[in-house]
Amino acid sequence: MSYTQKFFLLVGLHVGLLLVFVFFRFIDADEGLYLSAAREVLFGRLPYIDFMYVQTPYYPYFIAPFSDFGWTSLFLIRLLAMLRVMNTIRD
């Protein structure tokens, strides 16, 4: 097996494992904070001025368009977080 095949096999296994974590893990407390901050941003409030937010300042603005505040939004935000993790690993 060549190094390229091994590399793509490992990347595929990694993505598969991340997808299992996206769809089959318990709801994290941070996810609730992210979604509630996104809701506040959608209502026109500003982080650190109108509500307390201790994470990265622009993250609520990034996820606000993707959040409809139901089960769909929870899994969509998890997928976005997975893409962020994949980007961090690549760098």
Side-chain angles (χ1 to χ4, degrees):
M1 185 181 271
S2 71
Y3 288 116
T4 305
Q5 291 173 332
K6 289 178 184 178
F7 173 77
F8 284 116
L9 177 66
L10 287 176
V11 168
L13 288 173
H14 184 74
V15 169
L17 184 62
L18 285 175
L19 287 174
V20 167
F21 283 125
V22 164
F23 290 106
F24 296 107
R25 68 181 172 89
F26 292 112
I27 294 175
D28 192 344
D30 286 343
E31 292 167 342
L33 290 174
Y34 298 153
L35 289 173
S36 66
R39 176 178 290 181
E40 297 292 327
V41 166
L42 281 177
F43 291 149
R45 297 183 182 104
L46 298 172
Y48 311 111
I49 295 174
D50 297 323
F51 65 95
M52 183 60 192
Y53 186 68
V54 295
Q55 301 291 336
T56 309
Y58 295 111
Y59 196 57
Y61 292 101
F62 175 71
I63 65 172
F66 305 105
S67 56
D68 62 356
F69 309 113
W71 284 106
T72 306
S73 65
L74 178 66
F75 293 118
L76 187 59
I77 297 305
R78 286 180 175 181
L79 284 171
L80 289 172
M82 184 190 78
L83 292 174
R84 189 177 65 182
V85 167
M86 290 297 292
N87 191 27
T88 304
I89 291 171
R90 184 181 58 106
D91 293 340

